[in-house]
Amino acid sequence: MNTQTISTKDLILTEDDVRRLIFGAKTGHQRKPLKINKYIKNVALLFILFAAVFIALNSPAYYMKAKFIYQNNFVSQKQTQNTSINAPVITSGTGSASTSTTNAAGITNVLADNYLYIDRISLAAPIIWDVADDNASQLKNLQNGVIDLAGQAKPGQNGNIFIVGHSSYSIFAKGHYKTVFALLPELVVGDKITITYQNQTYKYVVTATKVVNPNDVSIRENTADQTLTLMTCVPVGTNLNRLAVIAKPVNASVSSNLLPLVK
């Protein structure tokens, strides 16, 4: 009987032998893992690019949020309370309506009429009343402040005062209030809100916050009692959902840290 001698050298597997055993002899199978890795890298690069562009376009809003977090976590409450407040000047003879309040430090602040004030997020913004309920009218008026939609209740009336503002809007768009409600998600139950309307000051306290989808109109529905609802888009920089901050009237003192000039 004939026997064949097999050397140890013949038993050594090369890298190509291993690839053929795993992926088969076809070259197309050998390249498949490389194609998958390239696809994953491309997706990752696209995601990073998208995130960078998104953050850049919404940088003013994210700056405000970062500043708020820093001030509330690293700046002591005592230092914040002792910060001097620049009260606005009332120009005589202009006929501008205003009200005044005195804070705990004994500083008198003058509040401009038709304004929204929220102490916790240092917000002071003009309110444009009775804006038509269409996209063009809303976007135009949002350039000048926050808007009250026509047909809703007014301060002092039973029903739902419904006020809308941008959380973040295109940096190329007109207006100075594109991030007016960027910090609205920071409000919590118990926070104070003040509205000045027709020479009167109306004070509210936050009772609830909720996130709804854009098609949910229940947050606009009238109520039997006096209600204030502030609404903006969330997450910041998107219009995926709506944040509603709901408040009820309360008798409380006001201590605004950011007040506009009454002209």
Side-chain angles (χ1 to χ4, degrees):
M1 181 175 63
N2 293 327
T3 59
Q4 184 177 3
T5 304
I6 301 175
S7 66
T8 306
K9 183 167 61 178
D10 294 331
L11 295 175
I12 297 175
L13 293 176
T14 66
E15 183 179 349
D16 289 336
D17 293 329
V18 174
R19 286 181 178 176
R20 277 194 293 269
L21 286 172
I22 297 174
F23 301 113
K26 295 182 180 180
T27 56
H29 288 290
Q30 297 176 19
R31 295 173 182 172
K32 188 174 181 180
L34 297 178
K35 289 183 178 180
I36 293 175
N37 290 338
K38 186 176 181 181
Y39 174 78
I40 293 174
K41 288 179 181 179
N42 288 338
V43 171
L45 287 174
L46 286 174
F47 177 80
I48 294 171
L49 179 61
F50 172 81
V53 172
F54 179 83
I55 293 173
L57 291 175
N58 296 281
S59 55
Y62 284 113
Y63 171 77
M64 289 176 61
K65 293 179 77 69
K67 183 179 178 181
F68 178 86
I69 292 172
Y70 169 77
Q71 290 179 336
N72 283 268
N73 288 277
F74 299 101
V75 179
S76 68
Q77 186 68 22
K78 183 177 180 180
Q79 180 179 347
T80 303
Q81 291 176 349
N82 290 337
T83 303
S84 61
I85 301 173
N86 295 321
V89 178
I90 300 178
T91 304
S92 61
T94 61
S96 297
S98 62
T99 57
S100 62
T101 61
T102 304
N103 64 13
I107 300 174
T108 300
N109 297 322
V110 179
L111 307 182
D113 198 24
N114 299 311
Y115 257 77
L116 170 70
Y117 297 92
I118 306 178
D119 270 356
R120 177 172 170 80
I121 56 176
S122 299
L123 183 148
I127 304 171
I128 296 88
W129 302 100
D130 293 314
V131 174
D133 194 3
D134 64 82
N135 193 56
S137 298
Q138 292 176 21
L139 289 177
K140 181 180 179 180
N141 284 281
L142 282 169
Q143 296 175 12
N144 303 312
V146 296
I147 60 174
D148 156 79
L149 297 185
Q152 301 289 144
K154 296 295 182 288
Q157 300 175 354
N158 287 338
N160 188 12
I161 308 165
F162 192 72
I163 294 178
V164 180
H166 284 308
S167 60
S168 183
Y169 199 55
S170 172
I171 58 176
F172 305 107
K174 296 179 180 179
H176 300 289
Y177 296 92
K178 292 176 287 189
T179 59
V180 64
F181 275 172
L183 296 179
L184 203 64
E186 305 298 336
L187 295 187
V188 296
V189 172
D191 283 340
K192 301 299 189 299
I193 300 173
T194 300
I195 288 179
T196 52
Y197 175 68
Q198 294 185 347
N199 304 332
Q200 299 294 323
T201 300
Y202 298 87
K203 303 168 186 177
Y204 302 84
V205 60
V206 175
T207 57
T209 64
K210 62 180 180 179
V211 175
V212 300
N213 68 64
N215 298 320
D216 189 343
V217 296
S218 64
I219 56 176
R220 290 184 53 178
E221 293 177 353
N222 268 323
T223 56
D225 56 356
Q226 295 184 41
T227 303
L228 168 64
T229 301
L230 308 180
M231 190 200 78
T232 195
C233 296
V234 290
V236 170
T238 75
N239 60 359
L240 297 176
N241 292 300
R242 305 290 185 266
L243 169 69
V245 174
I246 302 165
K248 298 291 184 179
V250 64
N251 293 322
S253 60
V254 180
S255 161
S256 284
N257 294 324
L258 179 63
L259 303 175
L261 176 68
V262 179
K263 298 180 180 179

